[in-house]
Amino acid sequence: MSDCELHVISSGKLAWKDMAAIAAQIHPYVTAIHIREKTKPMDEVFMGVQYLLEKGVPAQTLCINGYSWMAEAAGLGGLHLPESSLELPTIRESYQSVHRTGVSVHSVEEAVKREREGADYVLYGHIFATNSKFGVQPRGLEQLRKVAEQVTIPVIAIGGITPARVRSVLAAGASGIAVMSGIWEAADPLETVKAYNRELQLEETRGERYEAYE
């Protein structure tokens, strides 16, 4: 897979059995699978994570949203936090083993702040119009560019990103993309993931080609 990142975020609409079946197929082709199940009770989310692990999804590929204790207890590779979270040093007092921590941001100022606190990446969006943010004005590629110019950590773009839009998003400075329903609700999730990866790979190869002529 490309060095450009592909994060797949759960939609909250699938049964654990269906999510596990898809995750077991796609995990070799993605950077991280985020478990973001806001409507489910915490105990159910923990049991769901255990189910995914039992079905062969590697712990290091899983990223839990919001529960630092769960990332530690299950030995997961990632923790993702909402923009409203406490400062990262405060949160990190409760866990030590999590490999990577990211934070959702919606402004340049918040991205800079979270980098200063020690975030490994920021998730920024939404970039394009999307049904999950119906009626809310997208932030667009120019705002994405401004965020990417002000931080050195990876900026992962989210929101309405189809394979055809991948190159424009990376050209704006993103280090990768995040997708929700575009993968989970696809007729063939594995082939869809591969389609995203082909675009990520093409963009990376094209960049390397340009560098060779500089």
Side-chain angles (χ1 to χ4, degrees), residues 110-166:
E110 187 66 20
V112 171
K113 173 189 172 186
R114 293 306 190 174
E115 179 179 37
R116 190 181 304 121
E117 291 176 5
D120 296 300
Y121 69 90
V122 291
L123 185 73
Y124 179 77
H126 60 295
I127 307 303
F128 302 103
T130 173
N131 287 337
S132 65
K133 299 283 186 180
F134 185 75
V136 180
Q137 183 71 21
R139 290 180 168 83
L141 293 172
E142 187 54 37
Q143 290 302 313
L144 171 62
R145 189 185 308 278
K146 291 178 180 179
V147 171
E149 287 174 348
Q150 295 301 314
V151 297
T152 60
I153 57 176
V155 177
I156 309 303
I158 187 172
I161 302 174
T162 62
R165 288 170 167 169
V166 167

Side-chain angles (χ1 to χ4, degrees), residues 6-9 11 14 22-23 26 29-30 161 163 177-194 196-197:
L6 175 55
H7 295 237
V8 181
I9 302 177
S11 63
L14 294 180
I22 295 172
I26 68 173
Y29 304 95
V30 307
I161 302 174
I177 61 171
V179 184
M180 296 175 65
S181 58
I183 288 174
W184 298 110
E185 297 177 16
D188 189 331
L190 179 57
E191 285 306 312
T192 303
V193 163
K194 290 181 178 179
Y196 278 105
N197 260 319

Side-chain angles (χ1 to χ4, degrees), residues 10 12 14-24 35 37 40 52 184:
S10 70
L14 294 180
W16 292 107
K17 179 180 178 181
D18 297 328
M19 191 191 305
I22 295 172
I35 308 304
E37 299 292 311
K40 294 182 174 65
L52 291 171
W184 298 110

Side-chain angles (χ1 to χ4, degrees), residues 11 19 54 60-61 63 67 82 99 106 126 130 142 165 182:
S11 63
M19 191 191 305
E54 291 169 6
Q60 286 303 304
T61 302
C63 177
Y67 300 114
H99 174 65
H106 299 93
H126 60 295
T130 173
E142 187 54 37
R165 288 170 167 169

